[in-house]
Amino acid sequence: MTEVTRRATVAGLGATLGAVAFAKAMEPLRHFTEDLSLDQFLQRHYRELSPEDLERVLRRIEEDTLRERGAHVSVADDRPIPGVQFGYALNLSVCNGCRKCAEACHHENNHDRSTNQSYIRVFEMEQGSLDFEHAATHYDHAVPAPGKYYMPVQCLQCDDAPCVAVCPVEATWKEEDGIVVIDYDWCIGCRYCEAACPYHARRFNWSEPEIEAEEINPDQGYLSNRVRPKGVVEKCHFCLHRTRRGRLPACAEACPTGARVFGNLLDPDSPIRWVLDNKRVFVLKEELGTRPRFFYFFD
Amino acid sequence: MAVDSPELKTLPAEDSHLVTYPRFLWECFKISFDGSPLFYAWMTGLTAIALVGVNAWANQMAEGMVLTNMTDHVSWGLYIANFTFGVGLAAGAVMMVIPAYLYDDRDMHEVVIVGELLAIAAIFVCLAFVIVDMGRPDRLWHMIPGLGRFHWPMSMLTWDVIVLNGYLLINLHITGYMIYSRFVGKPLNRKWYIPFVFVSVVWAISIHTVTAFLYTGLGSRPFWNDAIIAPRFIASAFVTGPAFLIVALHAIRELMRLAIPDGAIDTLTSILRVTVWINLFLLASEVFTQFYTGGTHAASAHYLYLGLDGKSGLVPWIWTAIALNLCAAVLLVLPATRAVRGWVVAACVFTFVGVWIEKGMGMVVPGFVPSTMHELVEYTPSLTEWKLTAGIWAMGIGIFTVSVKIAGHVLTGRSGLGSRRIS
Ligand code: SF4
Ligand code: SF4
């Protein structure tokens, strides 16, 4: 063998070995691509879908849920109701920290069971302080505890939402009724919004959510509580699949103390308007200029 | 026409780029796969590490980002830390371009292409880190203007996409044009690269400024929401760029046997001698402001430098970084060490690692600790994250090695059509 052919042989051998090793290294990726259909891959942004396209997408999600999770569900697309602007208020004087709201959210919104996920976190606050530095979410004792009060925090549906501003692909936006939503099929999972939200309202799906078929809430919305894919961000959506049909959010319905007041800000007779007109309300981190739609008050 | 005359048949064809360009690519390919046993060993090692990274990524895609140790509290970690550092490295390469073209430093001019190639390799590294950090890389196309929905100009991330890809293209053009022209034996046309060189200088600053704005624009995180971050990024970029290049130039001279003028290395060392101190000065200003004021605002800095409520995961990291940077700064000014090659190289390695910590983990993680709601959740990278990180850097170093090798071969006339033409 001449020097040149020997070198070529060695190089050829090396290249073949390299290619084989590369294929082997990429092997696990097959699981990912198998789960991803071409339709899913090419799906357009929610706001660009024609009514027919949207219809097809909704039905496909239902089929996928049946095939992959064995659950019969219906996925709807509830649109904002003209003349409705949602707002929420929470009475800190009566909230007793029982976390029934967080639990209701967990079930209503098909959260991952293994992490006991919920869009609501209840902070146990120290009497005399509004500083979260002295607060904890992991309390594990009878409530209400002496010297404490409780502050549930979820997405505040900011009118000037930093999460919406930073998203590089407009996967999250504010709807006409004030709810900030996420297109789970458009989000690229960069988590910039999660870094930008001042209230820790956003969650990332670090893995495929785990949930038994019989526990899945079948009443689902495209922009709300359908089971989320892995690798995307989610957050509270004021239960839009309920509230846009005139029902209360699951958390408000579950609250045993009546601390939660939800409603249409434009309706002068609504309880939320009564609270805003008659109570001294405040919002979290007002100085950041996010203009939340979620108010707190003490009686 | 004398069809059977070989000269007439090949000559016009040789002028056409359609023929010479594929030939050029083929030659590049050959150079990349041909070399000494040391070169083979080096590239095999890098490829092996890169493959470990590829495998880790494939697993991460299949299982999800749970394989990382990131959480909803610390939602960016080692990947974004390395991304941020990599942008600095890419921008720092401009410290060869400025002396070469703005100050007409002849020695630097001869080797400036090494800096431009570093910029290219570093941008590839950055893009790779962004992609592995994404939960859904299959949806990358959602970012392509026209095809997807590019949230420009609102989202700083879209600006970063523009400046990083722009910087990549500019440098690919400059280096590609130079090497290819030399390959075909054509004189360089200044019109075709000088304007791009000047644009690249401004652009280099922009990539790191925009990357800083990604962080400083977030009002919810006081540790980042600080005007000093952008200047600090630039200062540390001008540390890592020269530090890497000094070591690289020595290695190229020793291992690739290419002539590297001492003047170039000396200039880079002079730059580094100043920038390490500027970097330390900016650090000191930041530390003073944080600690003297105190309060909740300084909680992240407390966590980083001293630990907070018994949590002190980053404390050893940051003090290592500060010690390394201080050592380097001293080594570069002490008369006994500053002119000794071994010490200078050591200083370069020290400060390179120092900035990697300080601007990577030391900048990204404290932004999340404590979280926006003042919860203290710590973060240490997982094995998957380390594998991917090693793999991506191995890929970057591989790209850099091969591109320097190609440039060396062609620019010194060892490969090319030019010589044949002249004869
Ligand atoms: S609370 Fe956070 S997630 Fe909700 S709208 Fe405001 S910034 Fe966005
Ligand atoms: S994680 Fe999704 S929603 Fe959040 S900024 Fe990135 S693409 Fe937008």
Side-chain angles (χ1 to χ4, degrees):
Chain A
M1 250 199 244
T2 67
E3 169 67 14
V4 176
T5 49
R6 206 192 47 137
R7 273 179 168 233
T9 321
V10 171
L13 207 70
T16 320
L17 264 177
V20 172
F22 184 76
K24 244 339 297 117
M26 289 291 263
E27 173 84 35
L29 205 58
R30 276 234 324 273
H31 298 289
F32 182 84
T33 45
E34 268 167 12
D35 289 347
L36 185 76
S37 70
L38 191 65
D39 260 3
Q40 267 170 305
F41 178 72
L42 293 175
Q43 186 180 318
R44 311 266 347 148
H45 188 279
Y46 169 80
R47 291 205 275 192
E48 289 170 17
L49 292 174
S50 65
E52 303 79 56
D53 283 346
L54 181 64
E55 190 55 31
R56 263 215 326 257
V57 168
L58 297 180
R59 298 296 83 80
R60 196 199 63 224
I61 295 172
E62 289 170 355
E63 283 158 25
D64 286 352
T65 318
L66 182 60
R67 188 161 33 84
E68 285 158 22
R69 298 182 173 272
H72 290 274
V73 301
S74 80
V75 182
D77 174 48
D78 294 287
R79 299 305 303 141
I81 306 158
V84 173
Q85 290 289 328
F86 287 124
Y88 215 147
L90 201 144
N91 187 345
L92 293 169
S93 297
V94 301
C95 171
N96 64 5
C98 67
R99 293 191 275 213
K100 285 273 184 275
C101 53
E103 198 186 313
C105 175
H106 178 72
H107 292 287
E108 176 68 29
N109 290 316
N110 294 313
H111 278 289
D112 179 44
R113 295 301 191 246
S114 64
T115 48
N116 201 21
Q117 191 62 269
S118 169
Y119 293 139
I120 305 173
R121 296 186 321 139
V122 183
F123 287 84
E124 185 173 66
M125 311 284 289
E126 202 136 329
Q127 205 68 264
S129 166
L130 259 177
D131 197 335
F132 287 92
E133 204 164 347
H134 311 294
T137 53
H138 298 298
Y139 58 90
D140 188 17
H141 49 69
V143 288
K148 307 284 184 191
Y149 72 101
Y150 297 86
M151 175 150 351
V153 178
Q154 61 207 76
C155 172
L156 312 178
Q157 318 293 354
C158 311
D159 275 349
D160 207 340
C163 59
V164 169
V166 300
C167 178
V169 292
E170 296 178 19
T172 183
W173 66 92
K174 193 167 191 67
E175 297 239 293
E176 295 82 67
D177 56 4
I179 302 177
V180 173
V181 294
I182 301 164
D183 182 349
Y184 310 121
D185 288 350
W186 192 258
C187 167
I188 59 173
C190 67
R191 307 189 296 292
Y192 198 10
C193 54
E194 206 174 13
C197 170
Y199 310 101
H200 195 95
R202 295 193 161 232
R203 313 274 187 279
F204 183 70
N205 285 280
W206 300 95
S207 58
E208 203 79 53
E210 257 175 51
I211 170 169
E212 294 296 326
E214 53 276 11
E215 285 188 29
I216 291 182
N217 174 6
D219 184 12
Q220 302 185 351
Y222 179 89
L223 293 173
S224 59
N225 65 337
R226 67 183 163 112
V227 183
R228 275 74 64 192
K230 82 166 172 255
V232 305
V233 154
E234 59 176 85
K235 65 163 194 69
C236 164
H237 36 72
F238 276 4
C239 281
L240 62 81
H241 56 283
R242 296 167 60 110
T243 51
R244 284 179 183 171
R245 297 180 204 160
R247 300 173 66 197
L248 281 177
C251 49
E253 205 172 85
C255 177
T257 63
R260 291 176 166 266
V261 185
F262 182 86
N264 179 5
L265 296 170
L266 299 182
D267 173 3
D269 301 324
S270 65
I272 179 83
R273 269 292 283 276
W274 186 87
V275 168
L276 295 188
D277 290 343
N278 295 289
K279 299 288 174 187
R280 287 161 189 174
V281 299
F282 69 95
V283 295
L284 286 183
K285 303 195 191 186
E286 186 185 355
E287 70 278 10
L288 293 179
T290 50
R291 297 194 289 132
R293 285 200 176 210
F294 196 109
F295 305 88
Y296 294 92
F297 63 101
F298 291 97
D299 249 341
Chain B
M1 211 180 214
V3 184
D4 51 354
S5 154
E7 285 83 23
L8 279 183
K9 218 169 28 177
T10 51
L11 260 181
E14 264 201 46
D15 276 333
S16 154
H17 293 300
L18 280 177
V19 174
T20 50
Y21 200 70
R23 246 201 228 182
F24 168 65
L25 290 181
W26 175 240
E27 189 67 26
C28 292
F29 181 78
K30 276 200 328 213
I31 300 170
S32 326
F33 281 92
D34 189 28
S36 63
L38 181 67
F39 173 74
Y40 275 115
W42 174 247
M43 291 306 290
T44 309
L46 290 177
T47 311
I49 299 173
L51 284 176
V52 170
V54 166
N55 181 249
W57 184 66
N59 277 318
Q60 180 185 293
M61 287 291 287
E63 307 269 317
M65 302 288 283
V66 266
L67 292 191
T68 73
N69 275 352
M70 289 184 273
T71 55
D72 285 324
H73 285 92
V74 184
S75 49
W76 283 338
L78 193 62
Y79 300 152
I80 294 300
N82 276 284
F83 158 76
T84 310
F85 174 80
V87 176
L89 189 56
V94 82
M95 277 296 148
M96 286 183 96
V97 181
I98 291 178
Y101 289 99
L102 263 55
Y103 291 87
D104 291 316
D105 179 329
R106 301 302 321 156
D107 286 346
M108 194 62 91
H109 205 281
E110 267 179 49
V111 290
V112 66
I113 195 155
V114 177
E116 290 154 345
L117 294 174
L118 170 63
I120 294 172
I123 294 287
F124 274 119
V125 166
C126 294
L127 296 177
F129 274 114
V130 171
I131 290 173
V132 301
D133 188 67
M134 282 170 63
R136 300 301 300 231
D138 53 310
R139 298 182 183 166
L140 199 59
W141 69 270
H142 294 182
M143 275 230 230
I144 301 174
L147 267 184
R149 281 172 88 98
F150 197 57
H151 196 195
W152 186 84
M154 264 324 272
S155 169
M156 280 326 283
L157 207 51
T158 57
W159 284 86
D160 220 24
V161 169
I162 295 174
V163 293
L164 288 177
N165 286 298
Y167 193 61
L168 179 63
L169 290 179
I170 292 172
N171 280 292
L172 279 174
H173 166 73
I174 296 171
T175 53
Y177 176 71
M178 287 199 160
I179 300 173
Y180 178 62
S181 299
R182 185 62 211 251
F183 180 80
V184 294
K186 281 221 191 93
L188 290 175
N189 182 347
R190 289 176 63 84
K191 230 175 40 201
W192 276 107
Y193 74 100
I194 293 291
F196 292 94
V197 168
F198 283 91
V199 171
S200 83
V201 172
V202 183
W203 209 285
I205 309 287
S206 85
I207 60 170
H208 219 24
T209 309
V210 172
T211 304
F213 288 174
L214 284 182
Y215 299 101
T216 60
L218 303 182
S220 54
R221 304 201 182 261
F223 189 71
W224 293 340
N225 187 217
D226 190 335
I228 205 169
I229 300 273
R232 272 195 73 191
F233 272 21
I234 301 289
S236 56
F238 293 165
V239 171
T240 43
F244 184 93
L245 287 164
I246 291 168
V247 178
L249 289 179
H250 279 302
I252 291 168
R253 181 196 272 167
E254 300 298 325
L255 302 172
M256 292 192 178
R257 311 231 170 282
L258 292 172
I260 303 289
D262 278 325
I265 297 181
D266 292 344
T267 306
L268 284 170
T269 314
S270 312
I271 294 172
L272 186 60
R273 190 170 293 138
V274 179
T275 53
V276 274
W277 287 101
I278 297 181
N279 188 41
L280 282 168
F281 164 72
L282 292 179
L283 174 79
S285 327
E286 186 177 37
V287 168
F288 169 79
T289 314
Q290 297 269 6
F291 282 94
Y292 196 79
T293 319
T296 313
H297 185 91
S300 292
H302 248 279
Y303 169 71
L304 174 63
Y305 293 104
L306 305 172
L308 196 61
D309 290 346
K311 305 236 160 105
S312 55
L314 283 178
V315 174
W317 288 75
I318 197 66
W319 288 105
T320 310
I322 292 176
L324 286 170
N325 280 332
L326 265 176
C327 277
V330 171
L331 284 176
L332 286 167
V333 291
L334 272 192
T337 51
R338 69 180 182 211
V340 183
R341 196 176 74 176
W343 284 118
V344 172
V345 168
C348 290
V349 175
F350 287 174
T351 192
F352 189 83
V353 178
V355 172
W356 179 77
I357 296 174
E358 169 195 299
K359 187 150 106 186
M361 294 282 285
M363 206 289 303
V364 173
V365 178
F368 295 103
V369 191
S371 76
T372 47
M373 302 306 276
H374 292 285
E375 287 155 283
L376 274 171
V377 175
E378 293 200 280
Y379 159 81
T380 357
S382 71
L383 186 61
T384 300
E385 288 173 271
W386 282 117
K387 281 183 186 167
L388 258 163
T389 301
I392 292 173
W393 282 109
M395 174 205 76
I397 294 171
I399 293 175
F400 181 65
T401 309
V402 166
S403 59
V404 168
K405 190 154 181 283
I406 292 171
H409 259 259
V410 176
L411 297 185
T412 55
R414 270 194 261 170
S415 305
L417 306 173
S419 44
R420 209 180 330 151
R421 237 171 222 226
I422 294 161
S423 62

